[in-house]
Amino acid sequence: MTPRQNAPRRLMRELHEIMASADKAEVRLNRVVHLVASNMVVEVCSAYFIRGGDVLELFATEGLKLEAVHNTRLQVGEGLVGLVASTGASLNLSNAQEHPKFVYRPETGEESYKSMMAVPILRTGKVVGVLVVQNQASRHYLEEEEEALQTVAMVLAELVVSGDLITTQEHSDGDIDRGAVIRFVGTVFAEGLAEGVAVMHEPRVEIIQHLSEDYDYQLERLGKAFEKLLVQIDEIMSAEDILHHGEHREILDVYKLFALDKGWRVKIESAIETGLTAEAAVQKIQIENRSKMIKTEDPYFKERLSDLDDLANRLIRHLMGKSGTAASKELPQNAVVIARNMGPAELLEYDREKLKAVVLQEGSQTSHVSIVARALGIPMIGQLEAGLLDIDDGVQIIVHGLDGEVYIAPPPEILETYRDAIASREKMLARYDGMIDKPAITKDHVKIELVVNGGLAMDIEGMHRTGASGVGLFRTEFQFMISKTLPRVRPQVKFYKSIIDAASEKPVTFRTLDIGGDKEVSFLKRDSEENPAIGWRAIRIGLDRPGLLRYQLRALITAAAGMTLSVMFPMITTVDEFMRAKGILEKELNRHQRNNRPMPIDIKVGTMLEVPSLVWQLDELLPLVDFISVGSNDLMQFFYASDRENPKLNNRYDTLSPPSLKMLRFIVNKCSEKNVPLTLCGEIAGSTIGALALLAIGFRRLSIAPAAIGPVKMMIRSLNLGDTERFGNELLSLSNQSIRSNFEAFARENDVII
Ligand code: PEP
Ligand code: MG
């Protein structure tokens, strides 16, 4: 051991003794300030804690006048102690009185002390107090001294955790009161309004024990936690989920670099050797990193701070055996889950009765987690500015998933506005309900067919509730995503049959497994790919692993006995791929017949059209298919070479633009020449303005989320299609990057309800 570690160890040992003693919290606190004063050779050591929201109260001192204890109070933000509390950054000043924030409190008698060092006392990343040392002489405290004081401050947080010093109630009340109303603005991924309490998807955990003298044991625990952390990061990086892309990838690269950084680990190990538990050592180093990074002017480092916090938090959670997400915990009745990002399978793990909304710092509108949220009717807002992940678990939160606003700890006036919004939304929903039995027919009598996209049993209920005429796209992969093991044929049959039965005679088009890209299944481990969206996914997996596809088709054939089976394949890129997939289906049908099993009365085989190459094979393809369904989410990401998961590219290219609409019109014309039924099932059709543009270029069947049926039907019933077609087709010769606003203006001028 280096001599440098001797002194901290001594301090830690004595600190350990004090904290482990049976003394009352206040007595232990007094002993700690005394210990610090003598051990660090300072004349004053004082501890302040935050009470009732935003007041810092002096709780113990060695060196200042004792009558100041419980009498000296400062607002958070007031004076130097208040400054540390409001910024969370420590101060090290050789002449404190020269600092513009210095305020003098006569009752303390601190006028004679020139130098001062103050560090925040943090509990799960939040400031709960400030620990201060002072000296008469002007001096600059050494880095080691600052680190030692930070360690003591960290251990003192235990007194708050235990609730002995200040009731935990007072603290959590304080947390809520302290923050002014916080408002975040983001993008609506799934519409709806919700009021509830914040639940962190990846919870911060509270360290209960900070001190340990069993160094070897703590080092061993740390080693194991590091192993788990690296496995976890590798898993995330190699998984085909949303974290693989663009910005997320950058973050993970930083994670990995940091996790592999020997310097970081050595620092944690040294902290353990001073007498800290492994989790406290991780926290201590993170507090140090934090206090250095807060002071830096470099915006890159500032941005990275929350990533590094995240990583330390992950390591602590591994150490404390709490690495799962909040989905595995008991949720409050009205949970609003907050996350940096999450995959669709993670969302499906939540108890849907209790999950009221989701707020993501990142995410994108066409990512599958958003699609699942829409399917579940759970409001979701994403792409919020930084700071979201710093809010407290348990604070009240309003999610205005119409305007894209999120309010933390809303005051009564905001609550009132929000409740008004609920009331007017209910009125609107009632108007949609009133249209259930009315046809989706334009003012000039053109019938449009509206069907729903689904993937969960509840979507069928959505189809009935909204009066849609069938299911245009049933995403079978959702069932696979929530299963830990490969679903066997029998449970698949049972599930598909339940869907067909629930649809009661209305047609359901099943799409075979579309996994890969951002849709991960736990039973199929795959190599990491540079570009998973254009990688080994969907039918490519189906053709390379025909067993998977065969079993699924077998289950679909069995489930559709005596009915019409309508099935299509995802991501078909060439005619040959379609023929091979159809060949597998035919083999299964023959097998079924040979075995004298009850057969479907009719089979319709189609394909998704979501890869641009297929547009140029329509002449060859159309004679072979019974129907086509355009998957515009993928088609547009490939058309514009613009990753649908990358938030930076989200609004860069607009589907409502001449080139994309020209391509879609080309598809419409080809299909109508050959009399092949055509549907569009991408997210664009679910927005009223998107649907309007699609009708203008000739689409007559749209497959959309159940929640979109009402608004789209209302738009259709207010539309004169002849005028719209003339207007829309003229727009296609423009060279504009987007013609969305032209369609919006048209709708306004012609009283089309969008
Ligand atoms: C699409 O790509 O438009 C589509 C409907 O399929 P998914 O969103 O499931 O990829
Ligand atoms: Mg797709």
Side-chain angles (χ1 to χ4, degrees):
M1 202 198 324
T2 61
R4 212 193 113 190
Q5 280 163 344
N6 266 326
R9 263 199 185 184
R10 226 181 7 256
L11 175 69
M12 284 299 132
R13 191 163 301 140
E14 287 179 44
L15 195 57
H16 197 175
E17 266 173 37
I18 298 173
M19 295 303 285
S21 77
D23 290 342
K24 282 201 167 131
E26 193 112 25
V27 176
R28 278 182 282 159
L29 180 63
N30 279 324
R31 287 177 63 193
V32 171
V33 292
H34 177 78
L35 171 72
V36 172
S38 57
N39 191 288
M40 290 182 61
V41 200
V42 290
E43 284 133 13
V44 174
C45 176
S46 315
Y48 295 81
F49 285 92
I50 293 180
R51 303 205 73 155
D54 55 1
V55 175
L56 278 154
E57 182 175 305
L58 180 65
F59 265 68
T61 185
E62 174 75 25
L64 296 186
K65 289 185 192 158
L66 284 180
E67 53 268 33
V69 170
H70 294 305
N71 283 323
T72 293
R73 291 176 167 204
L74 297 151
Q75 292 292 314
V76 169
E78 183 190 355
L80 295 173
V81 174
L83 181 65
V84 172
S86 66
T87 59
S90 40
L91 283 178
N92 184 346
L93 304 169
S94 49
N95 194 338
Q97 290 160 19
E98 279 176 1
H99 193 287
K101 272 279 195 183
F102 177 80
V103 290
Y104 170 55
R105 285 301 170 89
E107 74 275 14
T108 60
E110 65 184 337
E111 64 276 22
S112 54
Y113 300 103
K114 264 209 156 109
S115 38
M116 170 202 204
M117 175 163 65
V119 299
I121 301 173
L122 297 162
R123 176 189 177 197
T124 57
K126 299 273 166 243
V127 179
V128 294
V130 179
L131 185 64
V132 185
V133 292
Q134 291 170 288
N135 280 83
Q136 284 188 355
S138 169
R139 57 166 296 211
H140 192 81
Y141 299 94
L142 302 173
E143 203 175 314
E144 292 91 289
E145 291 175 302
E146 190 171 331
E147 285 174 13
L149 197 65
Q150 272 164 351
T151 307
V152 177
M154 194 174 77
V155 175
L156 282 181
E158 262 181 41
L159 296 177
V160 175
V161 178
S162 67
D164 295 344
L165 202 60
I166 303 168
T167 62
T168 29
Q169 182 58 33
E170 183 173 342
H171 251 287
S172 41
D173 287 352
D175 279 347
I176 294 167
D177 293 342
R178 190 158 10 121
V181 188
I182 305 173
R183 173 173 169 267
F184 292 97
V185 181
T187 307
V188 177
F189 293 165
E191 280 193 4
L193 299 156
E195 182 184 347
V197 290
V199 172
M200 299 313 271
H201 176 57
E202 297 190 276
R204 287 184 284 260
V205 284
E206 187 124 65
I207 296 178
I208 311 205
Q209 198 188 339
H210 288 86
L211 301 169
S212 163
E213 291 189 347
D214 192 346
Y215 314 119
D216 292 339
Y217 173 60
Q218 297 300 334
L219 290 171
E220 190 189 317
R221 289 182 65 225
L222 181 74
K224 286 194 185 141
F226 258 109
E227 274 169 30
K228 285 189 192 149
L229 178 71
L230 290 174
V231 169
Q232 188 188 28
I233 295 175
D234 281 342
E235 261 174 25
I236 299 170
M237 289 179 94
S238 64
E240 308 312 318
D241 80 351
I242 40 183
L243 289 166
H244 202 86
H245 302 251
E247 217 173 20
H248 315 298
R249 177 83 201 193
E250 258 174 47
I251 291 163
L252 285 171
D253 284 341
V254 174
Y255 272 179
K256 188 147 189 189
L257 275 182
F258 194 54
L260 289 172
D261 176 13
K262 284 229 161 53
W264 184 43
R265 185 158 171 170
V266 167
K267 277 192 202 158
I268 298 172
E269 285 170 350
S270 311
I272 287 177
E273 284 170 2
T274 65
L276 292 176
T277 57
E279 50 271 39
V282 177
Q283 192 183 45
K284 171 182 190 269
I285 301 307
Q286 188 51 17
I287 291 173
E288 280 170 26
N289 285 340
R290 214 169 207 284
S291 86
K292 281 181 201 137
M293 285 168 86
I294 280 179
K295 287 174 198 157
T296 165
E297 292 300 313
D298 186 332
Y300 176 80
F301 278 112
K302 283 207 160 143
E303 264 180 41
R304 291 280 80 92
L305 187 57
S306 69
D307 302 338
L308 301 183
D309 274 343
D310 232 51
L311 189 68
N313 192 23
R314 267 174 209 265
L315 190 55
I316 292 174
R317 283 172 36 223
H318 280 300
L319 277 161
M320 299 186 68
K322 293 184 177 167
S323 54
T325 69
S328 55
K329 288 196 320 183
E330 185 58 34
L331 285 184
Q333 284 306 325
N334 49 353
V336 174
V337 170
I338 312 287
R340 176 189 290 284
N341 213 335
M342 66 168 84
E346 286 180 294
L347 175 59
L348 287 166
E349 274 169 19
Y350 279 95
D351 177 346
R352 270 159 249 158
E353 291 285 303
K354 294 179 175 169
L355 180 62
K356 299 299 175 216
V358 177
V359 186
L360 302 178
Q361 187 162 319
E362 299 173 357
S364 94
Q365 195 155 23
T366 54
S367 72
H368 285 94
V369 70
S370 310
I371 290 173
V372 172
R374 287 195 284 277
L376 297 174
I378 295 172
M380 180 183 272
I381 295 184
Q383 292 171 3
L384 273 76
E385 56 267 53
L388 175 72
L389 300 176
D390 293 334
I391 68 167
D392 291 314
D393 245 312
V395 291
Q396 191 183 18
I397 177 165
I398 281 180
V399 176
H400 200 306
L402 301 175
D403 295 349
E405 288 172 335
V406 176
Y407 288 95
I408 313 296
E413 355 23 301
I414 302 260
L415 268 172
E416 209 170 294
T417 321
Y418 161 79
R419 284 174 187 151
D420 287 349
I422 290 196
S424 58
R425 183 169 163 81
E426 271 164 10
K427 264 194 213 142
M428 193 61 167
L429 293 177
R431 280 181 69 196
Y432 297 149
D433 284 349
M435 286 194 319
I436 289 175
D437 298 324
K438 296 195 176 146
I441 191 159
T442 64
K443 277 167 56 182
D444 46 349
H445 314 293
V446 182
K447 171 108 185 57
I448 308 297
E449 195 180 348
L450 294 181
V451 285
V452 295
N453 291 339
L456 303 163
M458 66 174 61
D459 294 319
I460 308 300
E461 191 200 310
M463 173 195 78
H464 289 304
R465 203 182 52 241
T466 55
S469 58
V471 179
L473 161 66
F474 193 87
R475 292 180 166 100
T476 57
E477 58 275 7
F478 286 178
Q479 282 308 306
F480 287 73
M481 281 155 54
I482 51 183
S483 174
K484 293 272 174 267
T485 54
L486 174 70
R488 317 218 38 103
V489 176
R490 203 167 300 163
Q492 283 194 57
V493 173
K494 200 166 157 221
F495 178 66
Y496 303 142
K497 181 142 178 40
S498 73
I499 298 298
I500 294 170
D501 289 347
S504 51
E505 310 280 303
K506 289 189 175 179
V508 180
T509 300
F510 290 96
R511 178 175 73 184
T512 61
L513 265 187
D514 182 10
I515 47 180
D518 67 338
K519 286 182 275 197
E520 204 192 347
V521 288
S522 53
F523 50 82
L524 188 68
K525 282 283 161 242
R526 320 178 38 214
D527 298 333
S528 133
E529 291 180 297
E530 276 300 317
N531 296 300
I534 50 172
W536 195 54
R537 54 170 286 209
I539 198 65
R540 298 168 184 181
I541 298 181
L543 293 174
D544 293 356
R545 296 270 187 281
L548 207 61
L549 184 58
R550 254 193 13 239
Y551 287 141
Q552 185 177 32
L553 290 170
R554 194 174 295 172
L556 285 167
I557 294 167
T558 313
M563 315 281 294
T564 296
L565 171 63
S566 178
V567 61
M568 63 181 172
F569 305 107
M571 275 258 324
I572 294 283
T573 308
T574 63
V575 174
D576 176 61
E577 279 179 352
F578 175 72
M579 286 312 290
R580 282 165 57 205
K582 192 174 168 184
I584 296 177
L585 172 67
E586 277 161 1
K587 261 196 199 148
E588 279 306 312
L589 284 166
N590 290 338
R591 182 183 177 276
H592 216 73
Q593 200 153 31
R594 265 202 322 274
N595 292 336
N596 286 326
R597 300 249 165 85
M599 299 289 287
I601 48 170
D602 194 10
I603 315 278
K604 301 269 182 234
V605 193
T607 178
M608 296 281 290
L609 199 172
E610 44 188 355
V611 182
S613 68
L614 207 56
V615 178
W616 305 107
Q617 300 170 75
L618 282 172
D619 287 336
E620 296 74 27
L621 179 74
L622 291 176
L624 307 171
V625 297
D626 293 319
F627 63 90
I628 294 277
S629 188
V630 175
S632 55
N633 303 337
D634 276 316
L635 187 61
M636 289 305 148
Q637 78 163 337
F638 302 138
F639 184 64
Y640 282 113
S642 172
D643 186 347
R644 68 194 261 194
E645 301 291 338
N646 188 333
K648 277 192 188 141
L649 302 177
N650 239 225
N651 300 314
R652 200 172 185 101
Y653 307 104
D654 195 348
T655 308
L656 301 195
S657 68
S660 33
L661 292 180
K662 269 194 241 176
M663 174 170 60
L664 292 173
R665 189 176 60 177
F666 178 82
I667 298 169
V668 171
N669 292 342
K670 282 282 174 193
C671 288
S672 87
E673 262 170 40
K674 294 283 186 302
N675 256 327
V676 172
L678 174 69
T679 308
L680 188 139
C681 60
E683 295 306 307
I684 176 77
S687 74
T688 46
I689 198 71
L692 182 145
L694 293 171
L695 299 183
I697 56 163
F699 280 91
R700 295 294 178 262
R701 191 172 192 260
L702 303 176
S703 190
I704 57 187
I709 296 278
V712 170
K713 196 195 271 189
M714 194 175 270
M715 181 280 289
I716 290 170
R717 291 175 60 84
S718 65
L719 181 81
N720 182 309
L721 191 54
D723 295 348
T724 315
E725 282 182 320
R726 273 184 294 280
F727 176 79
N729 283 293
E730 270 171 29
L731 290 180
L732 296 202
S733 52
L734 298 177
S735 57
N736 301 22
Q737 154 115 356
S738 165
I739 47 176
R740 182 174 294 267
S741 57
N742 307 56
F743 279 116
E744 283 166 350
F746 171 84
R748 265 195 312 275
E749 282 155 23
N750 292 278
D751 297 325
V752 181
I753 308 170
I754 51 167

